[in-house]
Amino acid sequence: MSDDGKIDATRAVPSADGRDLTFVRQGTEERIASFVTRARATIPTLAAKLPADLEGVDALASAGWLSREEYQGPLRDDAFALLGRRHFIQDLSSGTTGEPVLRFNTWSDELSEQLITRRFFSQVGLGPADRVVCLEIGAPEISAFYFRAMSELGVRDRSFLHVSTDFLGSVEPLEAIDPTVILTVPGILARSAPRFFEMYDGKRPRALRKIMTYAEPLGEGLRARLADIGIECFSFYGTTEIGGLAGECRQHAGLHVNDDWILPTLRDVEERGDGVYAGEIGWTAMHFEVQPTIKYAVGDRVEID
């Protein structure tokens, strides 16, 4: 949706071989053309993916796919060379569900990702009145990043709660903190459920009204159990390589893709209805300076309406 509240039209652009569909929001064509020009001029690994005889949206729609091996090899080398002697940040995934992935960031890359993440927090209604707890089993860096995005919405009361292998004991401080919002991974919530649902049984007054989850899908059973005690759930989808891709709003009818900067492409497309397509997803991340992607294959299959 545009800033004036009007729905932006999106078109599905086929690749030259007809195998891919890239979804392009109206009004982003100039940005895509600029990105294609920049990729060709500065990032050899991505330049090699782009057809030499096409420009802009057409070039991107017919580009080759970027593999995980290319991301962690030649594209990472390109990024390091592009950084030169500038300061940079290394963003390393946890590796809890696979081999860790490293991404190089400039400070502007970090801010770009933060601003996009803020959109999700805004659309679920976070604001100055909220008291947020992040339940995380790993290091606090990801929570600190989320807290910076929240601070732009006026959220000042923020706590990091480290979850150990003692899942039941780790969530005990929630009793005293009494947050209005919890940000966590569904697996953490599921494993701490016996103690969590003792504290949140729907019978005693609690401030908690929302739970935001990331890193994994939230099971419908757990979502329904939380809804029964008045807690609304929101899923947030992203990867280390791309950052925050999409988030759920209060309509709970799927996830909104940040498609003004992050373009989805489907490979081996199946049309499931009028304007509804399914297939393997590849992500083009135009908002990063030194390690953007073109049709990056993350291994997920999705449906796009």
Side-chain angles (χ1 to χ4, degrees):
M1 182 175 289
S2 63
D3 292 338
D4 62 5
K6 296 179 180 177
I7 300 297
D8 295 316
T10 296
R11 59 191 175 105
V13 182
S15 57
D17 62 7
R19 188 180 177 189
D20 299 350
L21 276 182
T22 296
F23 296 85
V24 177
R25 186 199 294 193
Q26 182 180 343
T28 60
E29 292 85 358
E30 186 175 336
R31 178 175 294 163
I32 293 169
S34 177
F35 170 71
V36 167
T37 298
R38 174 166 66 90
R40 281 178 169 150
T42 62
I43 307 171
T45 301
L46 298 186
K49 303 285 181 186
L50 294 161
D53 58 337
L54 297 174
E55 299 295 333
V57 171
D58 293 330
L60 192 61
S62 295
W65 284 57
L66 180 71
S67 69
R68 185 182 178 92
E69 292 73 26
E70 290 172 311
Y71 184 90
Q72 296 184 98
L75 185 65
R76 187 176 63 185
D77 294 343
D78 289 348
F80 193 69
L82 190 58
L83 282 164
R85 295 179 178 271
R86 287 183 291 167
H87 289 102
F88 63 91
I89 305 164
Q90 295 183 78
D91 193 350
L92 183 67
S93 69
S94 65
T96 52
T97 57
E99 290 297 317
V101 175
L102 177 67
R103 186 182 84 215
F104 288 128
N105 274 349
T106 62
W107 289 110
S108 64
D109 288 336
E110 186 81 353
L111 182 57
S112 294
E113 186 181 356
Q114 180 179 314
L115 292 175
I116 287 178
T117 301
R118 184 184 70 180
R119 290 179 178 175
F120 170 62
F121 296 146
S122 178
Q123 73 192 27
V124 303
L126 256 64
D130 281 307
R131 186 166 54 255
V132 179
V133 167
C134 185
L135 296 176
E136 177 57 65
I137 202 165
E141 284 85 355
I142 184 65
S143 300
F145 169 79
Y146 287 142
F147 289 161
R148 289 196 297 273
M150 290 178 192
S151 70
E152 301 217 7
L153 299 173
V155 180
R156 296 288 178 264
D157 196 340
R158 312 178 301 261
S159 301
F160 169 75
L161 190 55
H162 185 257
V163 180
S164 69
T165 52
D166 177 14
F167 286 90
L168 306 189
S170 294
V171 299
E172 200 68 40
L174 291 175
E175 184 97 57
I177 298 171
D178 195 26
T180 63
V181 177
I182 290 175
L183 178 64
T184 192
V185 176
I188 293 175
L189 199 58
R191 297 189 69 173
S192 62
R195 180 61 185 124
F196 180 89
F197 284 105
E198 284 180 0
M199 290 185 283
Y200 296 96
D201 56 8
K203 299 174 183 177
R204 288 169 289 177
R206 299 292 187 191
L208 184 63
R209 292 294 177 267
K210 298 172 186 173
I211 290 181
M212 301 181 294
T213 60
Y214 59 95
E216 303 164 355
L218 177 63
E220 289 304 315
L222 185 54
R223 182 188 286 264
R225 189 175 179 186
L226 290 163
D228 285 342
I229 56 173
I231 298 173
E232 192 175 12
C233 296
F234 299 88
S235 291
F236 181 41
Y237 171 55
T239 72
T240 297
E241 301 95 315
I242 312 296
L245 299 171
E248 186 175 358
C249 77
R250 302 200 70 170
Q251 296 300 316
H252 303 291
L255 307 181
H256 297 275
V257 176
N258 292 305
D259 62 349
D260 53 344
W261 287 102
I262 302 170
L263 303 181
T265 297
L266 293 181
R267 177 162 57 182
D268 296 329
V269 181
E270 171 193 351
E271 189 166 2
R272 292 186 173 174
D274 186 20
V276 180
Y277 305 89
E280 181 187 358
I281 191 73
W283 296 105
T284 297
M286 301 188 294
H287 60 304
F288 290 136
E289 177 187 0
V290 297
Q291 205 166 348
T293 60
I294 290 177
K295 294 183 180 177
Y296 179 57
V298 296
D300 292 336
R301 293 188 61 82
V302 306
E303 183 177 277
I304 291 180
D305 184 344

